[in-house]
Amino acid sequence: YTNVPDAYATFIADDGDGSVWITYTDGGLTRIKNGQVTVFDSSSGWPTNGPSSLASDINGELWFAKGNQIGIFAMRNFKLLGL
């Protein structure tokens, strides 16, 4: 794969549409879907603060925790949940 960050992976999760999501020690996030790598950053709505972790639920939706924030990737957007 090309465009994969040169950083250590911290979490890997799959979702309901066959994508593999990877977070890195530098705070970055990538998705591998159908052989294509997409890098997410603040311009795509990915929060920039703190370390991150990933999980998918029984419906295949991707959840994330980043710094002091929790959210979900839904309808092609990162949505932070107000807690």
Side-chain angles (χ1 to χ4, degrees), residues 41-62:
D41 57 22
S42 60
S43 67
S44 56
W46 179 242
T48 58
N49 63 323
S52 54
S53 59
L54 301 172
S56 59
D57 65 19
I58 195 167
N59 298 317
E61 294 183 305
L62 182 76

Side-chain angles (χ1 to χ4, degrees), residues 1-41:
Y1 293 103
T2 58
N3 299 332
V4 176
D6 185 20
Y8 290 104
T10 54
F11 282 92
I12 298 175
D14 61 344
D15 65 17
D17 73 355
S19 297
V20 175
W21 296 81
I22 307 167
T23 62
Y24 297 91
T25 54
D26 65 0
L29 173 71
T30 59
R31 176 181 64 192
I32 301 173
K33 181 176 181 179
N34 298 325
Q36 296 208 328
V37 176
T38 303
V39 177
F40 294 92
D41 57 22

